[in-house]
Amino acid sequence: MVIIMKPGTSRECIEALAHEMEVQGLKVGITNGVGCSILGLVGDTTHLNADDLLLHEGVERVMRVQEPYKKANRKFHPDDTVVDVAGVPVGGKHFTVIAGPCSVENESQITEVARAVQESGARLLRGGAFKPRTSPYSFQGMGIEGLELLLKAKKATGLPIVTEIMSPRYCEIFESCVDLVQIGARNMQNFDLLKEVGKMSKPVLLKRGLSSTYEEWIMSAEYIMSEGNENVILCERGIRTFETYTRNTLDVAAIPSLRRMTHLPIIVDPSHSGGAAWLVEPLTLAAVAAGADGIIVEVHNDPAHALCDGKQCLTPGEFGALMEKAQGLARFMGKDV
Ligand code: PEP
Ligand code: MN
């Protein structure tokens, strides 16, 4: 980090700031230029807030030369991380597909969809039991009963299960039965939840917040990792923009950008990105071409009667056709499918 002092700042003032930084364990080099001085801070500055430093007497500008995230940073971990989800690899050379309904609705629905998506090559089963709905009057998910039905579908197919956690009070039960713990877009900055999930031993699927920057998203991963859980998978699921024709706007550039910034796997959710079944295929192919490590897709055996997000759900048949194209392109991109 570099601190540029205002011209004419007294020597005592500069030395006092340098001393304050040294007390915090940093090495400080002072360069006196023509008219102004510069302090170069060497060491771990992750705890320093640039805006707070601006409040110090004589400080003109503060510049970070390193990112505020460490554990997720590719600079300190050049190799891709491959997250093991109950034996299914996500990241690196692998292209992994997660599929299933938006919400678990009943035993035959979840089991039927699980069998169908497995047949087409999905390796993990998704299904919401706790649903973060915009309206309190909409279907809120089956809760614990939904988890039990997911376990039945897992027993029937062997597919590990992915489902969203909305409150730290469910960490214990998720720890005991969920294979990949999803943090939804709306909870990406629920820091208490992130910290608790960071203490779990199960891998985490961290969706991007509706209006979060890449750095904010990685900092949320850093919250989980800093508590000891380094098995984090990032998921781009579309962001809020001025466009309303689509539900969200898929940020394709997030995939190569995050690839540079972090070693964590990056998958894409084409269902919530576009909000329409007809958009799932083109968005999936764009994601695969941009180097995504996998996709998470909503599939329902009867989309017209789905209790949540029917408009964007694929039928099992449509999902099968999507898989053929997506896997073909993933192979072309050098991935193992
Ligand atoms: C979901 O995957 O069911 C979901 C609610 O997604 P998001 O948090 O991305 O809106
Ligand atoms: Mn959904």
Side-chain angles (χ1 to χ4, degrees), residues 106-128:
N106 55 61
E107 186 175 343
S108 63
Q109 172 240 19
I110 189 68
T111 310
E112 209 174 288
V113 174
R115 287 212 174 93
V117 297
Q118 181 177 42
E119 184 110 325
S120 298
R123 301 290 308 278
L124 302 168
L125 173 68
R126 66 148 287 150

PDB file of all heavy atoms in Angstrom, residues 106-128:
ATOM      1  N   ASN A 106     -42.344 -32.662  -4.069  1.00  0.00           N
ATOM      2  CA  ASN A 106     -42.848 -33.923  -3.515  1.00  0.00           C
ATOM      3  C   ASN A 106     -41.882 -35.032  -3.928  1.00  0.00           C
ATOM      4  O   ASN A 106     -40.985 -34.796  -4.745  1.00  0.00           O
ATOM      5  CB  ASN A 106     -44.283 -34.222  -3.982  1.00  0.00           C
ATOM      6  CG  ASN A 106     -44.372 -34.217  -5.495  1.00  0.00           C
ATOM      7  OD1 ASN A 106     -43.711 -35.026  -6.174  1.00  0.00           O
ATOM      8  ND2 ASN A 106     -45.149 -33.297  -6.050  1.00  0.00           N
ATOM      9  N   GLU A 107     -42.099 -36.225  -3.378  1.00  0.00           N
ATOM     10  CA  GLU A 107     -41.117 -37.294  -3.594  1.00  0.00           C
ATOM     11  C   GLU A 107     -41.019 -37.723  -5.053  1.00  0.00           C
ATOM     12  O   GLU A 107     -39.919 -37.861  -5.600  1.00  0.00           O
ATOM     13  CB  GLU A 107     -41.447 -38.503  -2.704  1.00  0.00           C
ATOM     14  CG  GLU A 107     -40.368 -39.564  -2.794  1.00  0.00           C
ATOM     15  CD  GLU A 107     -40.570 -40.726  -1.846  1.00  0.00           C
ATOM     16  OE1 GLU A 107     -41.365 -40.581  -0.881  1.00  0.00           O
ATOM     17  OE2 GLU A 107     -39.926 -41.775  -2.062  1.00  0.00           O
ATOM     18  N   SER A 108     -42.170 -37.868  -5.704  1.00  0.00           N
ATOM     19  CA  SER A 108     -42.076 -38.372  -7.088  1.00  0.00           C
ATOM     20  C   SER A 108     -41.439 -37.321  -7.986  1.00  0.00           C
ATOM     21  O   SER A 108     -40.654 -37.650  -8.879  1.00  0.00           O
ATOM     22  CB  SER A 108     -43.441 -38.816  -7.611  1.00  0.00           C
ATOM     23  OG  SER A 108     -44.317 -37.716  -7.651  1.00  0.00           O
ATOM     24  N   GLN A 109     -41.753 -36.042  -7.740  1.00  0.00           N
ATOM     25  CA  GLN A 109     -41.149 -34.987  -8.581  1.00  0.00           C
ATOM     26  C   GLN A 109     -39.628 -35.024  -8.482  1.00  0.00           C
ATOM     27  O   GLN A 109     -38.918 -35.103  -9.483  1.00  0.00           O
ATOM     28  CB  GLN A 109     -41.675 -33.608  -8.130  1.00  0.00           C
ATOM     29  CG  GLN A 109     -40.969 -32.428  -8.792  1.00  0.00           C
ATOM     30  CD  GLN A 109     -40.271 -31.492  -7.802  1.00  0.00           C
ATOM     31  OE1 GLN A 109     -39.997 -31.863  -6.664  1.00  0.00           O
ATOM     32  NE2 GLN A 109     -39.985 -30.293  -8.240  1.00  0.00           N
ATOM     33  N   ILE A 110     -39.099 -34.987  -7.253  1.00  0.00           N
ATOM     34  CA  ILE A 110     -37.636 -34.847  -7.103  1.00  0.00           C
ATOM     35  C   ILE A 110     -36.924 -36.132  -7.568  1.00  0.00           C
ATOM     36  O   ILE A 110     -35.871 -36.075  -8.212  1.00  0.00           O
ATOM     37  CB  ILE A 110     -37.231 -34.408  -5.661  1.00  0.00           C
ATOM     38  CG1 ILE A 110     -35.753 -34.050  -5.599  1.00  0.00           C
ATOM     39  CG2 ILE A 110     -37.606 -35.412  -4.590  1.00  0.00           C
ATOM     40  CD1 ILE A 110     -35.337 -32.831  -6.345  1.00  0.00           C
ATOM     41  N   THR A 111     -37.545 -37.255  -7.296  1.00  0.00           N
ATOM     42  CA  THR A 111     -36.890 -38.513  -7.676  1.00  0.00           C
ATOM     43  C   THR A 111     -36.916 -38.705  -9.193  1.00  0.00           C
ATOM     44  O   THR A 111     -35.925 -39.124  -9.810  1.00  0.00           O
ATOM     45  CB  THR A 111     -37.567 -39.709  -6.958  1.00  0.00           C
ATOM     46  OG1 THR A 111     -37.644 -39.385  -5.584  1.00  0.00           O
ATOM     47  CG2 THR A 111     -36.782 -40.982  -7.121  1.00  0.00           C
ATOM     48  N   GLU A 112     -38.045 -38.357  -9.791  1.00  0.00           N
ATOM     49  CA  GLU A 112     -38.175 -38.476 -11.248  1.00  0.00           C
ATOM     50  C   GLU A 112     -37.168 -37.548 -11.955  1.00  0.00           C
ATOM     51  O   GLU A 112     -36.476 -37.968 -12.886  1.00  0.00           O
ATOM     52  CB  GLU A 112     -39.600 -38.045 -11.630  1.00  0.00           C
ATOM     53  CG  GLU A 112     -40.149 -38.711 -12.868  1.00  0.00           C
ATOM     54  CD  GLU A 112     -41.618 -38.315 -13.079  1.00  0.00           C
ATOM     55  OE1 GLU A 112     -42.479 -38.797 -12.305  1.00  0.00           O
ATOM     56  OE2 GLU A 112     -41.864 -37.511 -13.985  1.00  0.00           O
ATOM     57  N   VAL A 113     -37.088 -36.313 -11.488  1.00  0.00           N
ATOM     58  CA  VAL A 113     -36.151 -35.361 -12.114  1.00  0.00           C
ATOM     59  C   VAL A 113     -34.708 -35.826 -11.882  1.00  0.00           C
ATOM     60  O   VAL A 113     -33.870 -35.779 -12.792  1.00  0.00           O
ATOM     61  CB  VAL A 113     -36.364 -33.917 -11.580  1.00  0.00           C
ATOM     62  CG1 VAL A 113     -35.300 -32.973 -12.134  1.00  0.00           C
ATOM     63  CG2 VAL A 113     -37.755 -33.411 -11.944  1.00  0.00           C
ATOM     64  N   ALA A 114     -34.442 -36.326 -10.677  1.00  0.00           N
ATOM     65  CA  ALA A 114     -33.080 -36.794 -10.358  1.00  0.00           C
ATOM     66  C   ALA A 114     -32.663 -37.901 -11.331  1.00  0.00           C
ATOM     67  O   ALA A 114     -31.562 -37.878 -11.893  1.00  0.00           O
ATOM     68  CB  ALA A 114     -33.017 -37.292  -8.922  1.00  0.00           C
ATOM     69  N   ARG A 115     -33.563 -38.844 -11.543  1.00  0.00           N
ATOM     70  CA  ARG A 115     -33.246 -39.969 -12.455  1.00  0.00           C
ATOM     71  C   ARG A 115     -32.998 -39.452 -13.866  1.00  0.00           C
ATOM     72  O   ARG A 115     -32.044 -39.857 -14.535  1.00  0.00           O
ATOM     73  CB  ARG A 115     -34.397 -40.979 -12.467  1.00  0.00           C
ATOM     74  CG  ARG A 115     -34.470 -41.794 -11.198  1.00  0.00           C
ATOM     75  CD  ARG A 115     -35.017 -43.215 -11.482  1.00  0.00           C
ATOM     76  NE  ARG A 115     -34.930 -44.023 -10.269  1.00  0.00           N
ATOM     77  CZ  ARG A 115     -35.919 -44.154  -9.377  1.00  0.00           C
ATOM     78  NH1 ARG A 115     -37.075 -43.548  -9.582  1.00  0.00           N
ATOM     79  NH2 ARG A 115     -35.744 -44.884  -8.298  1.00  0.00           N
ATOM     80  N   ALA A 116     -33.859 -38.530 -14.295  1.00  0.00           N
ATOM     81  CA  ALA A 116     -33.751 -38.025 -15.673  1.00  0.00           C
ATOM     82  C   ALA A 116     -32.457 -37.247 -15.887  1.00  0.00           C
ATOM     83  O   ALA A 116     -31.775 -37.430 -16.896  1.00  0.00           O
ATOM     84  CB  ALA A 116     -34.961 -37.144 -15.986  1.00  0.00           C
ATOM     85  N   VAL A 117     -32.104 -36.370 -14.950  1.00  0.00           N
ATOM     86  CA  VAL A 117     -30.894 -35.556 -15.171  1.00  0.00           C
ATOM     87  C   VAL A 117     -29.636 -36.421 -15.061  1.00  0.00           C
ATOM     88  O   VAL A 117     -28.645 -36.185 -15.760  1.00  0.00           O
ATOM     89  CB  VAL A 117     -30.822 -34.299 -14.244  1.00  0.00           C
ATOM     90  CG1 VAL A 117     -31.978 -33.364 -14.521  1.00  0.00           C
ATOM     91  CG2 VAL A 117     -30.694 -34.648 -12.781  1.00  0.00           C
ATOM     92  N   GLN A 118     -29.715 -37.430 -14.204  1.00  0.00           N
ATOM     93  CA  GLN A 118     -28.566 -38.339 -14.088  1.00  0.00           C
ATOM     94  C   GLN A 118     -28.342 -39.082 -15.408  1.00  0.00           C
ATOM     95  O   GLN A 118     -27.221 -39.199 -15.886  1.00  0.00           O
ATOM     96  CB  GLN A 118     -28.810 -39.339 -12.962  1.00  0.00           C
ATOM     97  CG  GLN A 118     -27.650 -40.299 -12.772  1.00  0.00           C
ATOM     98  CD  GLN A 118     -27.884 -41.221 -11.606  1.00  0.00           C
ATOM     99  OE1 GLN A 118     -28.994 -41.725 -11.433  1.00  0.00           O
ATOM    100  NE2 GLN A 118     -26.864 -41.423 -10.798  1.00  0.00           N
ATOM    101  N   GLU A 119     -29.438 -39.524 -15.980  1.00  0.00           N
ATOM    102  CA  GLU A 119     -29.394 -40.228 -17.264  1.00  0.00           C
ATOM    103  C   GLU A 119     -28.699 -39.386 -18.341  1.00  0.00           C
ATOM    104  O   GLU A 119     -27.976 -39.893 -19.186  1.00  0.00           O
ATOM    105  CB  GLU A 119     -30.844 -40.505 -17.688  1.00  0.00           C
ATOM    106  CG  GLU A 119     -30.969 -41.308 -18.930  1.00  0.00           C
ATOM    107  CD  GLU A 119     -31.493 -42.706 -18.611  1.00  0.00           C
ATOM    108  OE1 GLU A 119     -31.170 -43.269 -17.550  1.00  0.00           O
ATOM    109  OE2 GLU A 119     -32.211 -43.215 -19.447  1.00  0.00           O
ATOM    110  N   SER A 120     -28.905 -38.074 -18.279  1.00  0.00           N
ATOM    111  CA  SER A 120     -28.315 -37.187 -19.294  1.00  0.00           C
ATOM    112  C   SER A 120     -26.908 -36.719 -18.931  1.00  0.00           C
ATOM    113  O   SER A 120     -26.312 -35.940 -19.673  1.00  0.00           O
ATOM    114  CB  SER A 120     -29.208 -35.962 -19.492  1.00  0.00           C
ATOM    115  OG  SER A 120     -30.466 -36.351 -19.957  1.00  0.00           O
ATOM    116  N   GLY A 121     -26.406 -37.112 -17.768  1.00  0.00           N
ATOM    117  CA  GLY A 121     -25.012 -36.797 -17.438  1.00  0.00           C
ATOM    118  C   GLY A 121     -24.787 -35.799 -16.317  1.00  0.00           C
ATOM    119  O   GLY A 121     -23.640 -35.431 -16.036  1.00  0.00           O
ATOM    120  N   ALA A 122     -25.858 -35.355 -15.638  1.00  0.00           N
ATOM    121  CA  ALA A 122     -25.649 -34.459 -14.478  1.00  0.00           C
ATOM    122  C   ALA A 122     -24.968 -35.262 -13.372  1.00  0.00           C
ATOM    123  O   ALA A 122     -25.250 -36.448 -13.190  1.00  0.00           O
ATOM    124  CB  ALA A 122     -26.983 -33.905 -13.991  1.00  0.00           C
ATOM    125  N   ARG A 123     -24.056 -34.623 -12.638  1.00  0.00           N
ATOM    126  CA  ARG A 123     -23.324 -35.332 -11.579  1.00  0.00           C
ATOM    127  C   ARG A 123     -23.814 -34.976 -10.188  1.00  0.00           C
ATOM    128  O   ARG A 123     -23.506 -35.661  -9.214  1.00  0.00           O
ATOM    129  CB  ARG A 123     -21.824 -34.996 -11.666  1.00  0.00           C
ATOM    130  CG  ARG A 123     -21.148 -35.341 -12.984  1.00  0.00           C
ATOM    131  CD  ARG A 123     -20.990 -36.841 -13.211  1.00  0.00           C
ATOM    132  NE  ARG A 123     -20.361 -37.564 -12.116  1.00  0.00           N
ATOM    133  CZ  ARG A 123     -19.050 -37.649 -11.905  1.00  0.00           C
ATOM    134  NH1 ARG A 123     -18.214 -37.061 -12.742  1.00  0.00           N
ATOM    135  NH2 ARG A 123     -18.564 -38.342 -10.893  1.00  0.00           N
ATOM    136  N   LEU A 124     -24.538 -33.836 -10.087  1.00  0.00           N
ATOM    137  CA  LEU A 124     -25.048 -33.392  -8.786  1.00  0.00           C
ATOM    138  C   LEU A 124     -26.509 -32.977  -8.951  1.00  0.00           C
ATOM    139  O   LEU A 124     -26.885 -32.432  -9.991  1.00  0.00           O
ATOM    140  CB  LEU A 124     -24.224 -32.206  -8.258  1.00  0.00           C
ATOM    141  CG  LEU A 124     -22.715 -32.421  -8.065  1.00  0.00           C
ATOM    142  CD1 LEU A 124     -22.019 -31.082  -7.823  1.00  0.00           C
ATOM    143  CD2 LEU A 124     -22.441 -33.351  -6.891  1.00  0.00           C
ATOM    144  N   LEU A 125     -27.310 -33.211  -7.894  1.00  0.00           N
ATOM    145  CA  LEU A 125     -28.738 -32.879  -7.935  1.00  0.00           C
ATOM    146  C   LEU A 125     -29.003 -31.606  -7.134  1.00  0.00           C
ATOM    147  O   LEU A 125     -28.619 -31.522  -5.970  1.00  0.00           O
ATOM    148  CB  LEU A 125     -29.542 -34.036  -7.329  1.00  0.00           C
ATOM    149  CG  LEU A 125     -31.048 -33.795  -7.136  1.00  0.00           C
ATOM    150  CD1 LEU A 125     -31.760 -33.684  -8.489  1.00  0.00           C
ATOM    151  CD2 LEU A 125     -31.664 -34.927  -6.297  1.00  0.00           C
ATOM    152  N   ARG A 126     -29.641 -30.620  -7.770  1.00  0.00           N
ATOM    153  CA  ARG A 126     -30.029 -29.417  -7.038  1.00  0.00           C
ATOM    154  C   ARG A 126     -31.512 -29.495  -6.688  1.00  0.00           C
ATOM    155  O   ARG A 126     -32.284 -30.213  -7.331  1.00  0.00           O
ATOM    156  CB  ARG A 126     -29.750 -28.146  -7.829  1.00  0.00           C
ATOM    157  CG  ARG A 126     -30.550 -27.921  -9.095  1.00  0.00           C
ATOM    158  CD  ARG A 126     -30.791 -26.424  -9.367  1.00  0.00           C
ATOM    159  NE  ARG A 126     -31.762 -25.853  -8.459  1.00  0.00           N
ATOM    160  CZ  ARG A 126     -31.783 -24.590  -8.046  1.00  0.00           C
ATOM    161  NH1 ARG A 126     -30.897 -23.736  -8.500  1.00  0.00           N
ATOM    162  NH2 ARG A 126     -32.715 -24.170  -7.206  1.00  0.00           N
ATOM    163  N   GLY A 127     -31.919 -28.713  -5.693  1.00  0.00           N
ATOM    164  CA  GLY A 127     -33.330 -28.641  -5.314  1.00  0.00           C
ATOM    165  C   GLY A 127     -33.433 -27.793  -4.066  1.00  0.00           C
ATOM    166  O   GLY A 127     -32.763 -28.049  -3.076  1.00  0.00           O
ATOM    167  N   GLY A 128     -34.244 -26.742  -4.136  1.00  0.00           N
ATOM    168  CA  GLY A 128     -34.365 -25.844  -2.987  1.00  0.00           C
ATOM    169  C   GLY A 128     -35.362 -26.376  -1.974  1.00  0.00           C
ATOM    170  O   GLY A 128     -36.473 -26.789  -2.339  1.00  0.00           O
TER     171      GLY A 128
END
